[in-house]
């Protein structure tokens, strides 16, 4: 996994598509990320989907969520050596569309031993059963991909989780988590896999205002990759990800197409 992650990050796989980005403002360009995330590496390296790890995690996800649990996404994370950059406190659900109920678990595998020295994960116990707390873009910068939780918890209660190679932590969509700076001489790599139940409409009326008016620096790359020569790879990725068995996904898909057509008409 480490060799694959290293190669994909070195080749800057996914940068053009906005799938490789920095959690922090991207001012210094793709070569000097503070915390690089490659979202969806399995689209670039299909063997990740056929790995023994993937099969085993699928089985554990089914034990946790039930037989309908399916693979949702994966990511590689790279935190360079000697960096003060932290992965700020956040809940993964804060990144999502509040109209949709996400019932997901995230398996986080460090690709070397991790401790407080190189940025192991830390969690707030019990936060997974609480609400999604207020978040904002890191440092209030709307171009930043990363979100940070701004209130409603006590970081002094963090449970620190050092791990050996081959261990993992598992957190839910609302589990508050954080990873500290990397004070070691080597980069800190991690691979994560998210498994979830079929998405459905949220029963609560919720809003995540921190996701409005964001001007993500990677958005221009995302838009470009959906219009130009990479449109077909984009479409094939979407087709591969689509959950055909879930009627709610068909409804979301139809709404999306309707929005696209309306947008084109307005533009025309
Ligand atoms: O690896 C990291 O520093 C962050 C990982 C994370 O936030 C996640 O997997 O949800």
């Amino acid at each position: 996994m480490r060799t694959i992650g290293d190669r994909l990050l070195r080749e800057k796989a996914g940068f053009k598509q906005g799938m490789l980005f920095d959690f922090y403002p991207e001012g210094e360009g793709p070569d000097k990320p503070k915390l690089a995330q490659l979202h969806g590496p399995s689209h670039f390296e299909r063997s990740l989907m056929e790995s023994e790890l993937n099969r085993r995690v699928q089985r554990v996800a089914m034990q946790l969520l039930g037989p309908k649990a399916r693979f949702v996404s994966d990511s590689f994370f790279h935190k360079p050596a000697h960096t003060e950059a932290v992965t700020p406190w956040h809940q993964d659900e804060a990144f999502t569309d509040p109209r949709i109920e996400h019932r997901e678990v995230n398996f986080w595998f460090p690709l070397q031993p991790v401790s407080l020295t190189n940025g192991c994960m830390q969690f707030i116990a019990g936060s997974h059963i609480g609400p999604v707390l207020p978040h904002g873009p890191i440092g209030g910068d709307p171009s930043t991909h990363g979100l940070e939780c701004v209130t409603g918890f006590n970081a002094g209660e963090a449970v620190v989780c050092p791990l050996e190679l081959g261990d993992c932590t598992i957190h839910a969509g609302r589990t508050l988590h954080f990873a500290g700076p990397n004070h070691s001489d080597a980069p800190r790599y991690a691979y994560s896999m998210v498994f979830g139940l079929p998405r459905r409409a949220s029963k609560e009326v919720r809003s995540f205002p921190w996701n409005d008016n964001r001007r993500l620096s990677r958005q221009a790359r995302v838009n470009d990759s959906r219009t130009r020569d990479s449109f077909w790879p984009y479409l094939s990725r979407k087709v591969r990800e689509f959950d055909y068995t879930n009627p709610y996904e068909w409804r979301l898909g139809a709404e999306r197409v309707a929005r696209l057509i309306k947008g084109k008409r307005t533009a025309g």
Side-chain angles (χ1 to χ4, degrees):
M1 306 302 287
R2 169 76 185 260
T3 312
I4 293 172
D6 212 18
R7 176 172 55 75
L8 292 175
L9 290 167
R10 213 170 347 98
E11 289 170 353
K12 313 237 169 334
F15 183 76
K16 257 185 10 202
Q17 296 87 343
M19 292 166 78
L20 172 63
F21 50 85
D22 198 341
F23 231 62
Y24 279 84
E26 287 188 330
E28 292 184 52
D31 293 321
K32 285 206 174 342
K34 286 187 165 150
L35 171 59
Q37 176 172 0
L38 169 58
H39 185 69
S42 50
H43 291 294
F44 302 97
E45 176 58 54
R46 292 306 290 162
S47 68
L48 289 170
M49 289 302 287
E50 281 122 39
S51 68
E52 181 58 24
L53 185 65
N54 190 294
R55 274 190 289 277
R56 287 183 186 210
V57 171
Q58 167 81 55
R59 287 203 292 271
V60 178
M62 286 166 88
Q63 287 167 20
L64 290 169
L65 296 174
K68 289 200 172 147
R70 69 194 286 275
F71 175 84
V72 175
S73 64
D74 57 353
S75 289
F76 274 111
F77 293 93
H78 171 258
K79 197 175 270 187
H82 305 291
T83 179
E84 290 303 324
V86 303
T87 311
W89 284 106
H90 68 278
Q91 294 164 299
D92 293 340
E93 201 173 322
F95 286 84
T96 65
D97 181 337
R99 292 167 305 171
I100 303 173
E101 192 176 279
H102 292 82
R103 296 165 294 165
E104 294 177 348
V105 282
N106 183 332
F107 297 77
W108 186 87
F109 290 88
L111 301 178
Q112 67 290 295
V114 281
S115 64
L116 273 178
T117 308
N118 63 349
C120 65
M121 286 282 238
Q122 305 187 29
F123 300 94
I124 300 293
S127 51
H128 64 295
I129 43 180
V132 176
L133 295 170
H135 283 66
I138 299 175
D141 179 342
S143 73
T144 302
H145 173 82
L147 290 175
E148 58 187 345
C149 183
V150 288
T151 185
F153 71 105
N154 177 3
E157 290 172 0
V159 178
V160 178
C161 288
L163 299 175
E164 291 303 322
L165 202 54
D167 294 344
C168 80
T169 54
I170 307 175
H171 64 268
R174 293 189 190 178
T175 311
L176 266 160
H177 56 287
F178 166 95
N182 179 5
H183 290 151
S184 78
D185 295 336
R188 192 228 59 185
Y189 289 93
Y191 177 62
S192 76
M193 269 184 268
V194 177
F195 280 75
L197 291 176
R199 299 192 300 176
R200 60 188 187 194
S202 172
K203 290 189 197 79
E204 305 158 59
V205 179
R206 314 185 286 174
S207 77
F208 295 167
W210 50 87
N211 286 334
D212 300 337
N213 307 319
R214 292 185 77 192
R215 296 191 300 276
L216 298 182
S217 50
R218 72 191 178 98
Q219 194 60 45
R221 306 200 297 277
V222 172
N223 295 347
D224 251 20
S225 75
R226 292 179 187 181
T227 48
R228 299 219 189 125
D229 41 336
S230 14
F231 180 72
W232 292 112
Y234 164 71
L235 193 64
S236 87
R237 203 171 75 227
K238 285 288 158 202
V239 167
R240 233 176 1 229
E241 279 171 356
F242 195 76
D243 178 3
Y244 297 90
T245 60
N246 181 359
Y248 183 60
E249 293 294 341
W250 287 98
R251 204 179 101 195
L252 288 175
E255 281 172 14
R256 204 159 175 190
V257 171
R259 269 201 309 275
L260 265 174
I261 293 170
K262 200 168 149 211
K264 278 216 173 1
R265 278 218 193 105
T266 321

